Amino acid sequence: MHHLLKRSYRLSTLLLIAANLLPLVFIFRGSASLFILLLLYWSENIVIGLYAIPKIILSKKHAAELLYIPIFLFHFGI
């Protein structure tokens, strides 16, 4: 089981690095517009939200923690 967790972390780390290098590829190729770069970063926030909100809801903590969801949506929606 420990081996599977290591592999999962390795894969997620590689995907995170690739996602953050993608804008640099666009910039160095000269095909990056401000719209595309903002769209990439905004899309990343959506993915983070889709991952984090269910985690907040399913956490075994106090119900007051559900107040973090609107704050989280506001913060990542800006």
Side-chain angles (χ1 to χ4, degrees), residues 2 13 20-21 29 45 53 68 76-77:
H2 180 65
T13 301
N20 284 298
L21 287 177
R29 285 184 50 208
N45 285 335
I53 290 174
Y68 288 141
F76 280 97

Side-chain angles (χ1 to χ4, degrees), residues 7-49:
R7 178 181 277 173
S8 174
Y9 285 130
R10 192 175 320 138
L11 177 63
S12 64
T13 301
L14 290 174
L15 289 173
L16 180 63
I17 291 170
N20 284 298
L21 287 177
L22 187 60
L24 290 176
V25 170
F26 283 125
I27 290 170
F28 288 129
R29 285 184 50 208
S31 60
S33 68
L34 182 59
F35 174 76
I36 294 295
L37 293 175
L38 288 174
L39 185 65
L40 283 171
Y41 285 114
W42 189 70
S43 298
E44 185 178 358
N45 285 335
I46 290 173
V47 171
I48 291 169

